[in-house]
Amino acid sequence: MSARRWYISGIVQGVGFRYFARHQARGLGLTGYAKNLSDGRVEVLAMGPSESLDDLASALHKGPPMSHVRSVEEQEAVAEKMSEFQVR
């Protein structure tokens, strides 16, 4: 199992980005979370097969219709035990 963390900036809060990330991740069978950060970014942590993480990364670069993704910073992460993908 692999784990990755993304920091997404742009117009990503108040536009359903976390719920979009949850929908995409659950559809790919990933666990993890999406949460708003105080600096206006969204943090996404996901665990699962590398191919599924690649698919999630592609979706995060696009975002939901009302968002405007300016940049996505990706990092390798340490896998955590989680049973589902949550919005925090």
Side-chain angles (χ1 to χ4, degrees), residues 7-47:
Y7 295 99
I8 304 99
S9 62
I11 301 172
V12 293
Q13 290 191 10
V15 294
F17 199 98
R18 293 174 298 155
Y19 297 93
F20 168 82
R22 180 181 68 183
H23 178 75
Q24 297 294 318
R26 285 183 174 177
L28 293 165
L30 300 170
T31 60
Y33 65 81
K35 70 177 184 177
N36 286 337
L37 299 176
S38 61
D39 63 5
R41 298 179 298 165
V42 169
E43 175 187 355
V44 175
L45 173 68
M47 284 79 65

Side-chain angles (χ1 to χ4, degrees), residues 27-88:
L28 293 165
L30 300 170
T31 60
Y33 65 81
K35 70 177 184 177
N36 286 337
L37 299 176
S38 61
D39 63 5
R41 298 179 298 165
V42 169
E43 175 187 355
V44 175
L45 173 68
M47 284 79 65
S50 291
E51 302 80 26
S52 297
L53 294 173
D54 291 342
D55 291 342
L56 179 60
S58 294
L60 295 177
H61 278 85
K62 295 174 187 158
M66 297 299 291
S67 70
H68 177 73
V69 176
R70 189 174 350 139
S71 68
V72 179
E73 177 187 339
E74 182 177 311
Q75 302 173 351
E76 292 297 317
V78 175
E80 300 178 18
K81 285 232 181 217
M82 299 187 78
S83 60
E84 65 180 359
F85 195 95
Q86 306 170 344
V87 170
R88 293 186 174 174

